[in-house]
Amino acid sequence: MDRARRPRSVLAALTATLLAVPALTALSSPAGAADADLAVNGGFESGLTGWTCTAGTTVDSPVHGGRSALRATPAGNDNAQCAQTVPVQPDAQYTLSGYVRGSYVYLGANGTGTSDVSTWTQSAPDWQKLSTTFRTGPTTTKVTIYTHGWYGTGAYQADDLTLVGPGGSGTGQPPAAPAGLRTTSVTSSSVGLSWSAVTGATSYALYRDGTRVQNVTGTSATVSGLAASTAYSFQVTAANAAGESPRSTAVTATTGAGTGGGPSDLPAHALVGYLHAGFANGAGYTRLADVPDSWDVIDLAFGEPTSATSGDIRFNRCSSGGECPGAESDADFKAAIKAKQAAGKKVLISIGGQNGQVQLTTTAARDAFVSSVSKIIDTWGLDGLDVDFEGHSLSLNADDTDFKHPTTPVVVNLISALKTLKAKYGTKFVLTMAPETFFVQNGYQFYGTGKWGGQDPRCGAYLPVIHALREDLTLLHVQDYNSGPIMGLDNQYHSMGGADFHIAMTDMLLTGFPVAGDPDNVFPPLRPDQVAIGMPASTNAGNGYVSPAEVTKTLDCLTKKTDCGSYTTHGTWPALRGLMTWSINWDRFSGWQFQKTFDGYFG
């Protein structure tokens, strides 16, 4: 992904200019005996409480002190500033200090009433202390302290920021912990909560199983996107300008059983594979009747549109002779579908693929999609639909910034079309999705064009679709292949080629993650029975192939929390549904190695 980067010549000129300005040099004036640290949550131990950030999140590694630190990533026209306004006294001396890592990191204060100050470092490969001092003006009662990076120069970290000096008249104490936390409603996917108001509180933060998931100003909230039949622990804190209270006494709620997500007759651990039904692609044609019984879900590849924006999907089978010698007749293909279904297998039509760009830009295209896909399902007697939109099928408009309330037509129309199909065919309808990592996990860092523009509008574009359909979704199997490096929840980049990549990417789906680094906008976790891991069947099938030993490491870590390597997961999920591969044809080409690994692990 390309992001705007300020030319190095400009940075060099900026360096020379800043070094020549005396006001940016740290002064050395000792603090008075009555001075105190006035910065709220300067160690970021309470997330971003007290700070206003254009981009940023808290991480548990690396840290300078305590258990958390700030990590922020400048992008486009955004320098990733985090700031807070602090009450101070007029005509008083203050010292601003903090520890930073990264390139072109700044620490400063505005609104001093005298000379605003900042200090910075061009390069800090490890924690480096920055410090500067200032004197407030004769009428100054508040100043804004901040830290930021520089446009396009990569992420920076900050920790243990302090503002030492005499407290202003607005300085007080954090509020007391809220009392009376209780549940008000429980469904299969949400829990309603309420608590007693706290004197002096201006906001409240909700924690689910120890992780902050929501900020509110009132005394009630609903936590949604939860897994069915799952116990959760909730706490709440109160906050004001002076900081955040201790957490309340915890309450536990267990969500209902739920009825969404498709049929319940899939095996506890399922193997999903794509069958080249319309082409051979170098792997050779495989008759549906010859697909081994190990494959529980068979995705017929592909249904494709008559044009990118028509919504009119057609399924054209590969005929005998030419590319697909030995291809069965339509009658034999239908008979094979029925035989697979009689054996408990699910046979789906997969829409899209690399060459099948589908953009439902209008309601007419949406309706054509529903009609044409229904015709395919009815004609062949299929169990449901796999959504394999790639390339430019999904992207977000510049003003579409909330995955929970999308406004982009191609996204809104797709959600509507899928809900219509689900309603038409009922609870037995199987709905699966196979997005690429760019459209899902990359949303942890970037969403759409970003607050300031300049990002790829496809970043995270699948998230609103998955979220809107999570109660109807049978399986999500992200393609953990043909992918660039993706940042995991440990805030490290992970690359294809080993178990580590699959572990980190799957952990994100099962743990949930803040979208675009916003802790107040969290993509909730999926149920483990809704998640399968997408892998290439062989080196011929796609970039990112891993050996059977690495597949086993991946499953051991996620289902047993053993052999996890360098990545520490946020849970253990023995109910993880299984594996998906591109493709059945390529696995046959390679001697069924992928299938044998799955059978050997799950039995």
Side-chain angles (χ1 to χ4, degrees), residues 189 224-227 232 259-262 403-404 415 419 431 433 463-476 509 512-513 522-527 529-530:
S189 61
S224 59
L226 304 178
Y232 293 95
T259 58
F403 76 91
K404 296 176 183 176
I415 292 170
K419 284 186 174 291
L431 175 63
M433 299 181 190
L463 293 178
V465 181
I466 298 168
H467 185 67
L469 275 300
R470 63 173 57 242
E471 288 299 307
D472 302 308
L473 183 64
T474 309
L475 284 176
L476 177 72
L509 301 177
F513 54 88
V522 175
F523 178 78
L526 293 167
R527 303 191 314 267
D529 64 278
Q530 289 179 297

Side-chain angles (χ1 to χ4, degrees), residues 5-18 104 106 120 122 150-151 153:
R5 179 178 292 275
R6 188 176 292 273
R8 180 55 57 183
S9 60
V10 176
L11 287 174
L14 176 66
T15 301
T17 301
L18 291 174
Y104 296 91
Y106 296 75
W120 70 296
Q122 181 175 349
W150 197 251
Y151 309 95
T153 55

Side-chain angles (χ1 to χ4, degrees), residues 148 356 405 480:
H148 66 72
H405 303 95
D480 286 358

Side-chain angles (χ1 to χ4, degrees), residues 75-97:
N77 296 322
D78 177 29
N79 60 10
Q81 177 171 289
C82 281
Q84 69 171 262
T85 300
V86 183
V88 294
Q89 291 186 14
D91 197 24
Q93 190 78 11
Y94 293 88
T95 299
L96 175 64
S97 300

Side-chain angles (χ1 to χ4, degrees), residues 232-473:
Y232 293 95
S233 176
F234 298 96
Q235 293 171 287
V236 63
T237 62
N240 60 18
E244 185 176 15
S245 76
R247 297 180 190 179
S248 70
T249 301
V251 298
T252 300
T254 301
T255 52
T259 58
S264 59
D265 57 347
L266 281 177
H269 301 293
L271 182 60
V272 183
Y274 287 79
L275 183 68
H276 306 182
F279 53 92
N281 198 27
Y285 186 81
T286 299
R287 293 167 60 96
L288 178 57
D290 295 333
V291 175
D293 286 343
S294 298
W295 301 91
D296 301 295
V297 180
I298 302 167
D299 293 326
L300 304 178
F302 288 105
E304 298 179 347
T306 54
S307 69
T309 59
S310 70
D312 184 12
I313 308 299
R314 305 295 174 89
F315 174 49
N316 299 311
R317 292 189 54 244
C318 198
S319 59
S320 182
E323 184 184 2
C324 301
E328 64 270 61
S329 67
D330 286 353
D332 287 343
F333 194 74
K334 288 183 179 180
I337 291 172
K338 290 183 178 180
K340 290 297 180 185
Q341 292 168 333
K345 314 304 178 184
K346 306 298 180 184
V347 185
L348 316 180
I349 180 64
S350 180
I351 306 297
Q354 179 178 342
N355 297 326
Q357 304 295 297
V358 181
Q359 299 167 352
L360 305 183
T361 55
T362 64
T363 55
R366 175 200 65 192
D367 295 343
F369 182 88
V370 171
S371 176
S372 58
V373 171
S374 296
K375 184 176 180 180
I376 293 170
I377 291 172
D378 295 342
T379 298
W380 298 97
L382 303 177
D383 295 288
L385 168 67
D386 172 67
V387 182
D388 187 10
F389 286 13
E390 300 179 16
H392 291 272
S393 292
L394 290 180
S395 63
L396 297 165
N397 290 347
D399 60 350
D400 194 346
T401 59
D402 183 358
F403 76 91
K404 296 176 183 176
H405 303 95
T407 58
T408 304
V410 294
V411 173
V412 173
N413 289 331
L414 176 61
I415 292 170
S416 176
L418 296 178
K419 284 186 174 291
T420 300
L421 287 166
K422 174 68 177 181
K424 177 178 180 178
Y425 291 102
T427 58
K428 292 185 177 181
F429 185 73
V430 179
L431 175 63
T432 67
M433 299 181 190
E436 298 166 290
T437 56
F438 188 86
F439 295 89
V440 183
Q441 289 94 335
N442 202 43
Y444 176 51
Q445 277 190 287
F446 312 105
Y447 188 71
T449 59
K451 292 181 179 179
W452 308 105
Q455 296 173 187
D456 191 317
R458 298 173 296 167
C459 292
Y462 243 99
L463 293 178
V465 181
I466 298 168
H467 185 67
L469 275 300
R470 63 173 57 242
E471 288 299 307
D472 302 308
L473 183 64

Side-chain angles (χ1 to χ4, degrees), residues 520-545:
D520 297 325
N521 192 30
V522 175
F523 178 78
L526 293 167
R527 303 191 314 267
D529 64 278
Q530 289 179 297
V531 176
I533 309 171
M535 302 178 175
S538 68
T539 54
N540 307 91
N543 295 322
Y545 169 77

